[in-house]
Amino acid sequence: MTGPIRPVGRASPSPTLFRPKHAFRSDQIGRGAAQRRNGGNNPAAIAAKGKPMSSFNDLMNHPKLSFQPQADGSTHAIFKMNGWGSDVICRYWKVDNPGRSDAFRYELETINGAGGTYSHVSEHGCKIAIVRHLIGARLIDIAEDNGHLDDRNRAELVQIEAARAEPSGPPKIGDFVIMPDGTRERCCNATKFGMQTASGGSFNVMRCGTAIFSGGLNKPRLWEYFKPTSGIERGRFWFFSHGIPGAGRAVICYLPCRVFRLEPFTMNEDQARAHPMAQHYAKVWGEGQREHLEAIAKIATGAA
């Protein structure tokens, strides 16, 4: 089913039809039909498992990915699909306008709506962005059992997971939230009176168990709206390989996260005025000022 090379950045049916289903593990050479029928017993894949690919820098050496210089000075990053649709081609090139913009441009082939042209200060950063794009498209599939981690990073993860283990209390950054419309989001930023959520972004987790979010945030909702459930789901995080910060040293991992339901509720005016958020607005903006009255209205109607 391999077709001709498509212009970079142009979507085709193949990403939707094949790529998420036929992703390649970070520790695998390939996933042919025979391999899947045999439970993944591909000798090459098994051999690769002895060399865990932990960080983005490691994944630049993924056996399906190659970086090939072109005659026009650009470099093509080609991810081989081995028959599951045409190969994925991203590219980057140096821009000759020093001091006026980032030194490099990179173009991500559109997969399921994600892609486009961006800039970066370094060639290495372009490669990291391409690897991240392939992971986001689930072409490089990071196993939820964290089997791709080497021994040192597994030890780091044990420490992180122990620090995050807390069966009760308010939600943490990275925990899941079932929204009123049934969609799932994740907690991403704690405020004085509540928590913000997001449907995307990335979560950097540290040894102490605290996570930091990067991405677009939705408005904060009151702590009281977050109702715990008995559910536990594995959420994606990242940390620096071997605890050493650096470009491309991000290691993706999965950790157990609690699941909450967002259940807004209404209050009468007296209850809303007595809420700490309303009292805070009265102190900051003044009793009866527009901001104070808007806060009372939001709390009373369950919109805070």
Side-chain angles (χ1 to χ4, degrees):
M1 295 182 63
T2 302
I5 294 177
R6 300 182 304 282
V8 176
R10 181 174 297 174
S12 76
S14 56
T16 301
L17 295 178
F18 300 107
R19 290 173 187 166
K21 182 177 179 180
H22 302 297
F24 298 92
R25 282 272 298 275
S26 63
D27 57 0
Q28 287 181 316
I29 297 295
R31 272 192 175 178
Q35 181 195 0
R36 288 193 301 280
R37 285 196 297 271
N38 295 329
N41 296 323
N42 183 318
I46 293 172
K49 290 181 180 180
K51 299 178 180 179
M53 290 186 172
S54 286
S55 70
F56 281 17
N57 284 338
D58 295 328
L59 292 175
M60 289 178 195
N61 299 313
H62 191 283
K64 309 299 298 182
L65 178 64
S66 63
F67 293 91
Q68 300 181 12
Q70 304 296 305
D72 63 0
S74 67
T75 297
H76 283 191
I78 302 175
F79 191 88
K80 291 289 186 181
M81 294 302 295
N82 284 1
W84 296 112
S86 52
D87 296 341
V88 176
I89 304 175
C90 302
R91 67 189 185 110
Y92 64 85
W93 63 96
K94 189 173 178 59
V95 179
D96 189 20
N97 56 348
R100 288 183 289 174
S101 68
D102 291 338
F104 285 85
R105 298 283 187 274
Y106 63 93
E107 197 168 40
L108 306 176
E109 180 174 331
T110 301
I111 306 174
N112 296 332
T117 303
Y118 307 90
S119 67
H120 204 279
V121 297
S122 70
E123 178 182 9
H124 191 227
C126 295
K127 290 183 175 181
I128 293 171
I130 290 168
V131 169
R132 185 184 294 114
H133 182 58
L134 296 172
I135 292 172
R138 307 224 25 210
L139 296 179
I140 298 176
D141 197 18
I142 306 299
E144 292 192 16
D145 64 3
N146 299 313
H148 60 289
L149 300 181
D150 63 22
D151 290 342
R152 287 182 64 181
N153 284 328
R154 286 191 189 121
E156 291 270 340
L157 192 62
V158 168
Q159 184 175 346
I160 291 169
E161 186 167 348
R164 284 185 63 85
E166 178 56 60
S168 60
K172 293 185 177 70
I173 307 299
D175 283 342
F176 289 92
V177 184
I178 303 174
M179 308 302 285
D181 63 0
T183 59
R184 267 177 162 70
E185 297 188 2
R186 293 181 74 182
C187 297
C188 60
N189 182 55
T191 67
K192 186 172 184 178
F193 303 108
M195 174 69 77
Q196 291 177 269
T197 62
S199 57
S202 67
F203 295 82
N204 173 213
V205 66
M206 294 171 281
R207 287 178 182 172
C208 62
T210 300
I212 300 173
F213 173 77
S214 176
L217 300 82
N218 296 324
K219 71 176 184 178
R221 307 306 303 270
L222 293 181
W223 288 115
E224 298 96 310
Y225 296 169
F226 291 83
K227 306 298 183 182
T229 73
S230 59
I232 298 291
E233 294 185 15
R234 296 186 73 78
R236 179 182 286 188
F237 296 84
W238 68 271
F239 61 94
F240 286 113
S241 182
H242 303 164
I244 303 172
R249 295 191 58 82
V251 173
I252 291 178
C253 65
Y254 284 85
L255 291 167
C257 300
R258 297 169 66 201
V259 180
F260 291 77
R261 285 188 178 275
L262 187 70
E263 298 180 354
F265 55 88
T266 60
M267 304 181 190
N268 61 41
E269 184 176 343
D270 289 340
Q271 291 172 327
R273 285 182 176 275
H275 192 278
M277 178 177 164
Q279 294 179 356
H280 172 76
Y281 272 71
K283 182 178 179 180
V284 172
W285 298 102
E287 183 78 29
Q289 295 299 310
R290 177 176 58 85
E291 292 81 4
H292 177 223
L293 296 178
E294 287 177 350
I296 293 173
K298 287 180 180 179
I299 296 168
T301 59

